[in-house]
Amino acid sequence: MMNTLRGAAQTWAAKLLLLLLVLSFVAWGASDQLAGGFGGNNVIEAGESVVTVDEYRLQLERAIAEESQRQGRRLSRAEALAAGAEQNVRARAVGSAVLDEQARRMALGLSEEGLAKAISEDFGGQASGSQIRQLLRDAGLTEAQYVADREKEAKRQQIIEAAARGMPIPDTFLSALHRYQNQTRDIVFVEVDAAGMAPVAEPTPAELDAFFAENISRYDAPEYRTITHVLLTPEVIADPSVIADGEVRAEYDNNRVRYGKAETRTIQQLVFPDLATANAARDRILSGTSFEDEVTAAGRTLADVTLGTLTKAEVPDAAIADAAFALTGTQAVSPVLESPFGPRLIRVSEITPESVAPFEDVAATIRNDLAIVQANDILAEIHDAYEDARAGGATMAEAATSQKLAMATLAPVDIAGNGKDGAALADIPERDALLQAAFAATEGDENQPLSVGRFGYLFYEVADIEASRPRTLDEVRDRAVADWKADALTKAVDAEAERLAGLIRDGGDPDAIAAETGYRVDRKYGLQRPGDDADLGRAGIATVFEAGPRATGIATGATGNRRLVFRIDAINDPLGGAEAISPELKEIVTSNLIDDLLNQLVNRLQDEFPVTLNEAALGRALDVQSN
C-alpha cells in the first residue's frame, strides 16, 4: 500500500498506465467537491475524510484495468475480485483516508506554484494542456476533480516525506547484514535414505482403523460442481463457407508477401575518408577491380563491411535500402552515397529472391482468416442478442440456440479440475478462471461472462453442486494402506536420523558411523544462506544456518525421503563491515525501512482516526449492475 502512495508517474505518453499510477491513490479524500458529506454515499469514513461510492468504484475499475494491462488481457470483474483487487483497493483507500484526515488536522497547504509544479511533473513536463485534458477524459475525471485530487495527494506526500526523509541506516545494522549475507559454513553429514531401508510390513486391521480415524479428513470426497458453459469467440462463430472465392483470391493477390518470404540481400558498405577517394574506388570497380580488393586496400575485411542479410524493410537506413535493392546483381556497385560518416559504396554479395506459397496451399488458411475477421464484426451483436435473450427469461440453452451457439456441460469437477475418477478433465475452456469463478458462484444463478482473449466471452452457470463428504475406509482402503506405509517409513527414517544425531552429539565420528551403518557420508564447504545445494536444497541450508558452532542437526534432503544428519565444522565470517554493503543493497534496505515506518504511521493514524466501513455503500460500489 505504501509503495502505491509513494509512487509517481514518469511519462505522460502512456495514457492508461500514467493515470493508473498517478491517480490510483489521489481520488480519495475530503474535497468538498467530491466527498458529499457524511452519510449513506460514503464507503469509508475517517474523521471528516471520506471515500464515496463513485470514488471507490472508480478506483476498483482502475485496479482491474491495471491488472489487465499486466496480464495482457482484459480481466472480467469477477476474475479481478477473485484475485483480490477489492482487498487491495480497500487497503489503499483506508491509507489515503487517514492520511487525508491527518493533513486536514494539521491544516497543511500547498501554494499554486507548488501544485502547478506537481501536476507538470506528473506528465513529465511534456504534455500540452489539450493532451492532459484528453488523458483525464480517458480516466473519467474532470480537470477540477484532478486538480483537487492532486492537491490532496501532494499534502499526503508532505506527511510521508516528513516521516521518512533522511532516515539513516546504522552502520551496526549494515555490518550485521553483511555478515548475515556473506557468512559461510562447512559441514559433514551422514545420509539416511528411505530407499535403502527395509520395506514396511502391512498394517494390522487395528493399525489401519486407527490411522484412518486419525486422518479421516485427508480422504474426504471434494465438492464437485457440474458447470454449463457457452463459448463465444470469433473462432467459434466464424463461417469460412460464406467467404467467396473471389475474396480469397483478392486477399492473396494483394498481400502476396504475407504468404511467403520477402527477398533478402546480404549488404556490404565500404566507407571512404573523402569523395575523391570514393569515386576513384568506384571507377576501379567498374573497370574490373573486385569489391573485395578495394575492401582489402582500405585496410578492412569483408566481416568489417558486411551489414547483414536483411529484407528491405529491415534495413534501418532508407538510403542504403534503396541503393542495395536497386542493384541488379552481386557484381554491381552503387553510386557514391553521402553519409555523416563519409562517402560510401554499397554492394550486395548474395540475393535470395522472394518466395510465395502457391495459392492452393494457403487458400484454406486465407478463407478461415477472413471468416474470423468477419466474425469479429458481428461478435458484439451476437453477445448483445444472447444477453437480451437471457434478460427476457430464456435459459442458457435457449439463448445459445437462438444465436447458433453450442452449450456444453462439464462432467462433475472439483476445484482442481479433476473428475470423480481423480483424473484431470480435458477441454475446460479458460480452465483456471472458469474453475475459480464457478466455485465462487451460486447454483442456478446467471453470472457475468469471463473474458476470452481480446474479444471473446465465456458464459457459465453452475447446474449442480455435490457437497464434500467423508469417505468410508472401504472406499479408500488401498490409498489408506499406501499412506500408512509411507508414514511408517518416514517415522523409521526420522527415528534413525535422531539415533545418529545422538551419536554425533556424544562425540561420535561421522565417518566411523557411516562405515558401520553403510550410509553415505559427505562434506560441504562454503555453504551460503542465499545459495542452493543438490543435497540440502534451500530448506536444508536454512536448517544448517539455524545451528550454532559445532552443533549437530537434521536437515530434510532436497529430493527423495532423506535426512542429512550434519555437524557444523566451521563458521566463516566475511571480511569487512558496513562499507562492504553495495549502494544498491543499501538503497533497498533504506526503502524497506521507510516502507515499514510508513505502514506503522498508517496503522497509528487508524488508531487515532477510527475508520468506519459502510457495508451497504460498499455493496453499491461493488454492484456490477450499477456500472
Side-chain angles (χ1 to χ4, degrees):
M1 177 187 69
M2 295 313 305
N3 282 334
T4 302
L5 294 173
R6 295 170 62 233
Q10 300 299 315
T11 174
W12 67 270
K15 295 183 179 181
L16 177 60
L17 186 58
L18 177 144
L19 287 163
L20 286 170
L21 296 180
V22 175
L23 303 177
S24 63
F25 52 81
V26 300
W28 304 306
S31 167
D32 293 339
Q33 297 175 346
L34 299 177
F38 292 91
N41 193 45
N42 298 332
V43 176
I44 291 172
E45 299 178 357
E48 296 182 20
S49 299
V50 302
V51 179
T52 69
V53 169
D54 287 341
E55 293 160 9
Y56 198 92
R57 186 181 299 142
L58 178 62
Q59 294 311 304
L60 184 58
E61 290 303 319
R62 287 182 183 138
I64 294 172
E66 185 178 17
E67 184 60 29
S68 297
Q69 186 182 57
R70 252 195 307 268
Q71 296 194 21
R73 66 184 184 93
R74 173 64 187 180
L75 297 180
S76 69
R77 195 177 184 107
E79 290 176 293
L81 292 178
E86 195 275 324
Q87 291 90 331
N88 294 336
V89 167
R90 185 184 304 187
R92 292 183 346 213
V94 168
S96 294
V98 296
L99 286 171
D100 284 344
E101 184 62 11
Q102 178 66 26
R104 189 190 68 78
R105 299 283 183 96
M106 296 173 66
L108 294 181
L110 186 69
S111 67
E112 292 184 3
E113 294 79 6
L115 179 58
K117 180 181 179 182
I119 293 175
S120 177
E121 290 174 350
D122 282 349
F123 295 90
Q126 300 176 38
S128 65
S130 61
Q131 288 168 331
I132 292 175
R133 284 189 288 273
Q134 182 61 51
L135 290 173
L136 295 177
R137 283 194 295 271
D138 290 346
L141 291 176
T142 66
E143 292 178 62
Q145 286 175 323
Y146 172 71
V147 170
D149 292 341
R150 192 61 182 86
E151 181 177 6
K152 295 198 298 112
E153 190 276 328
K155 291 178 181 177
R156 288 191 210 115
Q157 197 64 31
Q158 292 181 41
I159 299 174
I160 291 170
E161 290 180 357
R165 182 190 294 120
M167 178 58 60
I169 304 295
D171 283 350
T172 303
F173 176 86
L174 294 176
S175 295
L177 177 62
H178 174 60
R179 185 167 59 252
Y180 178 87
Q181 283 202 315
N182 296 288
Q183 184 184 84
T184 66
R185 297 192 172 196
D186 304 335
I187 68 169
V188 59
F189 69 84
V190 179
E191 177 186 80
V192 181
D193 192 340
M197 301 191 73
V200 176
E202 295 291 320
T204 66
E207 288 174 329
L208 186 60
D209 286 342
F211 175 81
F212 180 75
E214 185 179 346
N215 298 279
I216 189 169
S217 61
R218 184 193 299 187
Y219 302 101
D220 285 353
E223 177 182 305
Y224 291 100
R225 296 197 169 203
T226 302
I227 305 169
T228 58
H229 61 83
V230 174
L231 186 62
L232 172 57
T233 66
E235 292 77 12
V236 166
I237 63 175
D239 184 2
S241 66
V242 303
I243 305 299
D245 292 343
E247 291 182 68
V248 178
R249 186 75 211 195
E251 168 67 17
Y252 178 82
D253 290 340
N254 293 333
N255 300 280
R256 294 173 66 88
V257 174
R258 185 182 301 172
Y259 305 105
K261 295 182 179 178
E263 177 185 338
T264 62
R265 297 191 171 201
T266 301
I267 304 172
Q268 296 166 332
Q269 172 187 251
L270 184 56
V271 180
F272 297 91
D274 53 63
L275 188 59
T277 305
N279 283 323
R282 184 172 188 272
D283 290 341
R284 287 193 296 271
I285 292 173
L286 295 179
S287 299
T289 301
S290 70
F291 183 82
E292 289 79 2
D293 288 342
E294 291 296 332
V295 170
T296 301
R300 314 278 179 77
T301 66
L302 288 178
D304 295 333
V305 301
T306 300
L307 302 180
T309 301
L310 308 165
T311 67
K312 186 173 183 179
E314 292 172 338
V315 181
D317 188 317
I320 294 178
D322 291 340
F325 280 81
L327 296 174
T328 57
T330 59
Q331 301 305 313
V333 67
S334 73
V336 175
L337 304 178
E338 293 286 354
S339 81
F341 306 102
R344 54 190 172 176
L345 293 176
I346 305 298
R347 198 275 294 261
V348 294
S349 61
E350 185 177 353
I351 298 175
T352 302
E354 172 190 61
S355 63
V356 179
F359 174 74
E360 294 75 14
D361 292 350
V362 296
T365 300
I366 295 174
R367 189 182 301 276
N368 188 66
D369 290 344
L370 291 175
I372 291 175
V373 171
Q374 186 183 79
N376 273 318
D377 294 337
I378 62 173
L379 187 141
E381 296 176 12
I382 295 177
H383 168 273
D384 293 346
Y386 174 93
E387 293 281 26
D388 289 344
R390 293 306 310 270
T395 65
M396 173 178 277
E398 291 168 344
T401 300
S402 71
Q403 300 306 311
K404 299 181 179 179
L405 299 173
M407 186 185 82
T409 302
L410 296 177
V413 62
D414 65 21
I415 195 168
N418 300 320
K420 289 191 172 182
D421 61 357
L425 291 189
D427 302 325
I428 301 179
E430 301 298 304
R431 186 183 190 90
D432 293 342
L434 177 59
L435 291 172
Q436 188 175 47
F439 272 81
T442 302
E443 181 179 348
D445 280 359
E446 181 183 358
N447 305 293
Q448 286 293 309
L450 303 176
S451 298
V452 180
R454 294 182 60 192
F455 304 110
Y457 301 91
L458 179 62
F459 304 94
Y460 68 96
E461 288 184 6
V462 177
D464 182 63
I465 298 177
E466 184 178 327
S468 173
R469 65 172 181 84
R471 290 189 175 112
T472 66
L473 177 57
D474 286 340
E475 289 181 277
V476 295
R477 182 172 297 276
D478 290 344
R479 179 180 159 196
V481 168
D483 289 346
W484 183 92
K485 287 184 175 181
D487 282 6
L489 183 58
T490 295
K491 289 176 181 177
V493 171
D494 288 337
E496 178 66 353
E498 288 290 352
R499 184 182 76 85
L500 298 188
L503 293 176
I504 295 174
R505 288 191 193 99
D506 291 341
D509 177 45
D511 291 291
I513 291 171
E516 179 183 341
T517 59
Y519 297 146
R520 171 189 168 216
V521 64
D522 203 351
R523 286 169 170 77
K524 300 283 182 180
Y525 300 98
L527 292 174
Q528 288 186 289
R529 274 192 179 88
D532 202 347
D533 181 79
D535 286 310
L536 291 159
R538 293 183 182 277
I541 288 180
T543 302
V544 167
F545 275 85
E546 290 171 359
R550 300 296 293 180
T552 298
I554 301 173
T556 300
T559 58
N561 190 358
R562 300 181 298 140
R563 303 294 179 270
L564 308 182
V565 185
F566 66 87
R567 184 186 69 201
I568 304 292
D569 281 350
I571 296 178
N572 313 300
D573 286 331
L575 298 175
E579 76 285 350
I581 295 289
S582 69
E584 294 78 13
L585 178 57
K586 187 178 295 186
E587 183 177 348
I588 292 172
V589 172
T590 302
S591 177
N592 289 339
L593 177 61
I594 290 173
D595 285 343
D596 288 343
L597 288 173
L598 294 179
N599 278 314
Q600 292 180 43
L601 171 62
V602 169
N603 292 335
R604 174 68 179 272
L605 290 177
Q606 289 185 59
D607 293 336
E608 188 170 345
F609 312 129
V611 175
T612 301
L613 177 68
N614 185 331
E615 294 288 352
L618 176 63
R620 291 199 301 278
L622 298 178
D623 183 8
V624 297
Q625 301 300 327
S626 64
N627 287 325

